[in-house]
Amino acid sequence: MKRIILLAIICAFLSCKEQTESKAISSFEFLSEQVLKTKTKEELRFIRNEIFARKGYVFKSEDLNTYFKTKSWYNPDPQVKISLSVEEQNYIDKLKSIENQFSSKNSKCSNVLTQKNSSFLPIISNDLLERSSKYKQLLDVKVENINEIVRGNLCAGGYVWNVKCFTSIKYQLMFYNCVDNDPFVKLAVINNEENIDFLELYGSSLFGEDSIENYHDIDFKLNKDNLEIYKIFKMWDKENITEQNRYPTKEVRREVTKYKLTDKGLVKL
């Protein structure tokens, strides 16, 4: 009789465990290849290992353990034996294939600012405009061999940093002065060293008297994989004119445009 009761308890426990695991896995989202290709190598690693995490796997890598411990569904079990379905194995193989495209041997640039200097993130205009210790550190990782098209946009000279690199696409942050010592910041998007697009990140339009139609500032915030550009509309603030500031302005509204830095180029969010 005792054996029958013990057996029933064990079966109930195993059944409960299987249901818990099944529930955790069923909530896992299998992303399409098109979506996966917009992810970074780090994001792909977490996505791939989430399959194991949902089964209770205890990772040897501390960063993975730390990351998944923040998830309410993660129940680490040192004794768990992992088995994968055909769908899960195929998905993992697909993820590994996409991750391999990020191999350093395929990278066309070094000193990638957002990968090797995460303490600088997010990068905002003040980091470049203020001669802070943080900015001086940025100078140490500037690009030495600059593409001629990029160099031609620097006017009297400036600084260029590799922000992110893929096999064929790379992103470079440009900081320079052209007219009346006004600072400018742009993001250069380089495709196979040939096709180059420039996105303005910091600067001002021409002053437009009282209206907000012709005058706005541009500012930005650049993170590891994402970029935000702010279009800040202003108007002349006549009531606060001083001898020190003959043309004061005040913000009227702002527009935010968000992008993701992918291996296919900038993707507008």
Side-chain angles (χ1 to χ4, degrees):
M1 185 66 179
K2 290 183 179 179
R3 289 185 177 179
I4 295 175
I5 294 174
L6 179 62
L7 181 61
I9 293 174
I10 293 174
C11 289
F13 172 76
L14 292 176
S15 175
C16 181
K17 183 177 180 181
E18 288 175 359
Q19 290 176 11
T20 301
E21 179 177 303
S22 176
K23 183 177 180 181
I25 293 300
S26 64
S27 62
F28 178 80
E29 181 182 4
F30 290 87
L31 302 175
S32 67
E33 185 169 349
Q34 182 179 4
V35 173
L36 290 174
K37 286 186 176 181
T38 68
K39 305 295 183 182
T40 66
K41 186 174 182 179
E42 183 181 27
E43 289 172 332
L44 291 170
R45 178 169 172 256
F46 285 131
I47 293 171
R48 173 167 53 83
N49 282 287
E50 183 177 337
I51 294 177
F52 298 94
R54 287 184 177 273
K55 295 174 181 286
Y57 184 75
V58 179
F59 297 94
K60 295 179 181 178
S61 299
E62 187 58 34
D63 64 326
L64 290 175
N65 280 322
T66 300
Y67 173 77
F68 288 114
K69 282 179 181 178
T70 64
K71 307 300 180 182
S72 60
W73 48 258
Y74 183 49
N75 296 305
D77 181 2
Q79 305 302 321
V80 71
K81 293 184 179 179
I82 302 297
S83 61
L84 299 173
S85 67
V86 174
E87 182 184 22
E88 290 167 349
Q89 186 60 63
N90 289 339
Y91 191 63
I92 288 173
D93 291 341
K94 181 192 296 184
L95 284 161
K96 286 182 177 179
S97 175
I98 298 174
E99 285 179 80
N100 288 337
Q101 297 177 15
F102 287 85
S103 174
S104 58
K105 67 181 180 180
N106 293 325
S107 177
K108 293 186 176 181
C109 60
S110 57
N111 292 330
V112 181
L113 192 60
T114 59
Q115 291 179 2
K116 298 184 178 181
N117 300 276
S118 59
S119 61
F120 292 144
L121 301 175
I123 299 173
I124 58 179
S125 57
N126 285 344
D127 295 337
L128 305 178
L129 301 175
E130 296 178 3
R131 302 296 173 129
S132 62
S133 58
K134 184 177 182 179
Y135 175 68
K136 291 177 182 177
Q137 287 178 298
L138 288 175
L139 296 180
D140 295 334
V141 293
K142 65 181 183 297
V143 176
E144 299 295 339
N145 298 316
I146 302 175
N147 181 289
E148 287 303 315
I149 301 178
V150 173
R151 187 185 301 279
N153 275 264
L154 295 179
C155 301
Y159 299 97
V160 178
W161 300 274
N162 286 321
V163 175
K164 197 169 186 63
C165 290
F166 296 95
T167 303
S168 59
I169 299 286
K170 65 181 176 183
Y171 301 88
Q172 291 185 337
L173 186 65
M174 306 163 54
F175 172 60
Y176 61 98
N177 297 83
C178 275
V179 182
D180 298 328
N181 291 321
D182 288 335
F184 292 89
V185 182
K186 287 184 180 179
L187 183 72
V189 186
I190 303 173
N191 185 354
N192 285 318
E193 301 296 336
E194 295 180 359
N195 300 327
I196 301 180
D197 293 322
F198 295 97
L199 199 63
E200 187 175 3
L201 304 185
Y202 183 85
S204 295
S205 69
L206 295 175
F207 193 78
E209 299 183 352
D210 295 347
S211 73
I212 62 173
E213 299 301 324
N214 300 317
Y215 182 57
H216 63 265
D217 285 342
I218 296 176
D219 208 342
F220 75 99
K221 180 171 72 173
L222 176 65
N223 236 313
K224 182 175 181 180
D225 307 302
N226 298 292
L227 169 67
E228 293 183 1
I229 299 180
Y230 312 108
K231 194 172 184 180
I232 307 168
F233 291 87
K234 296 184 176 182
M235 63 184 300
W236 188 13
D237 188 5
K238 296 180 179 180
E239 297 178 359
N240 291 302
I241 296 175
T242 64
E243 290 187 6
Q244 292 75 25
N245 188 356
R246 301 292 299 275
Y247 301 101
T249 61
K250 58 183 178 181
E251 181 175 336
V252 178
R253 75 174 194 276
R254 66 172 55 198
E255 299 173 358
V256 182
T257 306
K258 299 181 179 181
Y259 298 90
K260 190 173 184 66
L261 281 61
T262 78
D263 63 342
K264 304 300 181 182
L266 281 175
V267 175
K268 193 173 181 179
L269 301 177

